[in-house]
Amino acid sequence: MKNYDEMYQSVLSKYDEYLEKKRKRIRTIKRTAPVLASFCLTIVLGVGYWDHFKNLPHIPVQPNIIEETTIERPETTTTASTDTNTTVSSLTPSEPASTTAATTNSHTDRMTTTASKQTQTVTTVVTDATEAQTTEQVVKQTETQAPATTPSVTYTQPVTEPPVVTTEEPPTTTVIANIKEIKFGYDDGSDIGGHQKPSAPQKIVMKCLNFCELGETLTVEVAMADDSLKPIFYDAAPDYEYKIYVCNPLNFKDVEDENIIVNEQPKGYRQAFSKEEASLFDINGESNNYDIYHHETAEIDFSNYEVGDSGCIAFCFLAVYSEDPLHPSYMGSIQYMHFYVGEKGTSISNLSIEDAIENYQAVTMS
């Protein structure tokens, strides 16, 4: 048996033979193709020239006329036959024709000979002219029909589309959860939470969503009232103060947090009402009719906080008694809002910061 080297050499030799045959075939084709092409071109040109010279008009040979004869042609009769076009003219000489032909011919013979010769000449010219006209018409028809065989070329102008401009939008955070509304201080059988119903006649209640998505502001609806007001006591009504601030969740004192922005005001929000505006808070003893409360809207912005921050916000509605201007006394109600800032937004609770953290996980993980 052959070993691997012999088999490998055998395969290589066969492959070399195959390549050599292929190269010879290619060389043969390259050598014979130009010769065959030239031969075919020569045949085509020869056939074309043959047709061209065969269709050239025939130049008639004029007979040797010794002397021109002036004749009148009053009438010309043209007869067309199926084979050739022949024109026969009736010629009437006005004078005896003089010729230098042999004197042995009579006058009548000379006239007959001259007339026949003239008639033959005219006939030949007309026949050749007809053939030339026919040839010219064929050439024109050929030249007219030639463009019909030329394939039509359609030029399509490239349409340049305007470049597509892609504007990268900032990523938006989508919370997959059921965001619900929570209430603070409402006595309507729902989960009140927050600061319990105060014993003071000044009342404040709130409601908002339990989650604020990243980049958005939290909208809080605040309602305030004074159940002790009566129209006859408006003159003795106190001044009022409405405040929002961040407080210490342990002692509920104002910490003057600079990160909080309420109604576009840093460190919180404060609004004072004079006793002349006391009628705004008169509910005529209907403590549970929250529609007749005085309503305010608070916009809270948490954008200055970092992920993991938390705190407590106090909403206060207080009556200010200023018998002693240097040491006024306050009486009223406070609701506390707890918040936690996460990567996807801010969670709100009416119970505690821990509850706000649990609410954030429930909203973002569901």
Side-chain angles (χ1 to χ4, degrees):
M1 290 182 63
K2 296 181 180 180
N3 56 20
Y4 289 110
D5 293 337
E6 293 177 352
M7 292 175 65
Y8 180 71
Q9 293 298 329
S10 177
V11 171
L12 289 179
S13 62
K14 293 291 184 180
Y15 183 70
D16 292 339
E17 292 178 1
Y18 168 75
L19 292 179
E20 185 63 27
K21 291 180 180 180
K22 188 175 180 180
R23 294 191 190 96
K24 288 181 179 180
R25 248 190 339 264
I26 294 173
R27 286 196 299 269
T28 304
I29 292 173
K30 289 183 178 180
R31 291 173 182 175
T32 56
V35 177
L36 292 176
S38 301
F39 181 72
C40 293
L41 181 62
T42 303
I43 294 175
V44 171
L45 293 176
V47 173
Y49 279 108
W50 174 259
D51 292 338
H52 176 71
F53 287 118
K54 185 174 67 174
N55 293 328
L56 289 177
H58 178 68
I59 301 175
V61 180
Q62 297 291 339
N64 294 325
I65 301 175
I66 299 174
E67 184 178 356
E68 294 183 356
T69 303
T70 303
I71 58 177
E72 294 182 358
R73 301 175 183 177
E75 294 180 359
T76 302
T77 304
T78 304
T79 59
S81 62
T82 57
D83 296 334
T84 58
N85 295 328
T86 306
T87 303
V88 180
S89 302
S90 299
L91 304 176
T92 304
S94 59
E95 295 180 358
S98 60
T99 179
T100 57
T103 57
T104 56
N105 294 334
S106 63
H107 180 74
T108 304
D109 293 336
R110 289 197 300 271
M111 291 296 297
T112 303
T113 304
T114 304
S116 62
K117 288 181 181 181
Q118 187 68 24
T119 301
Q120 183 179 2
T121 302
V122 173
T123 301
T124 304
V125 171
V126 171
T127 304
D128 293 340
T130 303
E131 292 180 357
Q133 182 178 3
T134 305
T135 305
E136 183 179 0
Q137 291 178 355
V138 172
V139 172
K140 288 183 178 180
Q141 291 179 357
T142 305
E143 292 177 355
T144 304
Q145 295 177 358
T149 59
T150 304
S152 60
V153 179
T154 303
Y155 296 95
T156 304
Q157 185 176 2
V159 179
T160 305
E161 297 182 356
V164 179
V165 180
T166 57
T167 304
E168 295 183 359
E169 297 181 355
T172 57
T173 304
T174 303
V175 179
I176 306 173
N178 183 18
I179 300 176
K180 61 182 181 179
E181 184 181 66
I182 56 175
K183 295 181 178 181
F184 302 77
Y186 278 79
D187 188 13
D188 54 1
S190 61
D191 183 15
I192 300 174
H195 196 274
Q196 297 299 319
K197 183 178 179 180
S199 58
Q202 291 76 25
K203 304 179 184 299
I204 181 170
V205 294
M206 308 180 308
K207 57 184 176 181
C208 66
L209 297 179
N210 66 341
F211 192 86
C212 175
E213 295 190 29
L214 185 66
E216 301 291 336
T217 58
L218 179 67
T219 301
V220 184
E221 182 181 343
V222 184
M224 297 167 285
D226 189 350
D227 196 18
S228 65
L229 283 175
K230 298 294 185 290
I232 59 175
F233 300 130
Y234 282 172
D235 294 337
D239 295 330
Y240 295 93
E241 187 173 88
Y242 166 49
K243 294 196 304 182
I244 303 173
Y245 57 89
V246 177
C247 64
N248 188 327
L250 299 178
N251 55 21
F252 304 108
K253 290 185 178 181
D254 188 357
V255 296
E256 298 184 356
D257 189 353
E258 296 182 353
N259 293 326
I260 193 70
I261 299 176
V262 181
N263 294 338
E264 299 182 355
Q265 294 185 12
K267 295 185 180 181
Y269 178 77
R270 180 182 180 276
Q271 184 177 3
F273 298 90
S274 64
K275 59 183 179 181
E276 285 77 12
E277 300 175 287
S279 60
L280 294 174
F281 308 105
D282 185 7
I283 57 176
N284 197 20
E286 299 182 25
S287 300
N288 294 331
N289 188 359
Y290 301 106
D291 292 335
I292 63 176
Y293 280 41
H294 175 69
H295 291 264
E296 295 275 348
T297 300
E299 298 287 340
I300 304 178
D301 186 358
F302 297 96
S303 59
N304 291 334
Y305 289 94
E306 297 181 356
V307 176
D309 289 345
S310 61
C312 179
I313 303 175
F315 289 76
C316 306
F317 178 62
L318 304 173
V320 182
Y321 299 95
S322 57
E323 289 83 2
D324 184 2
L326 298 178
H327 301 88
S329 61
Y330 296 89
M331 182 181 294
S333 301
I334 302 176
Q335 298 290 347
Y336 298 104
M337 175 187 290
H338 305 275
F339 67 91
Y340 171 76
V341 180
E343 294 180 353
K344 298 182 179 180
T346 304
S347 175
I348 306 300
S349 173
N350 55 2
L351 299 177
S352 63
I353 295 177
E354 291 75 16
D355 184 67
I357 296 174
E358 293 178 2
N359 178 65
Y360 177 85
Q361 294 174 352
V363 170
T364 58
M365 299 300 178
S366 61

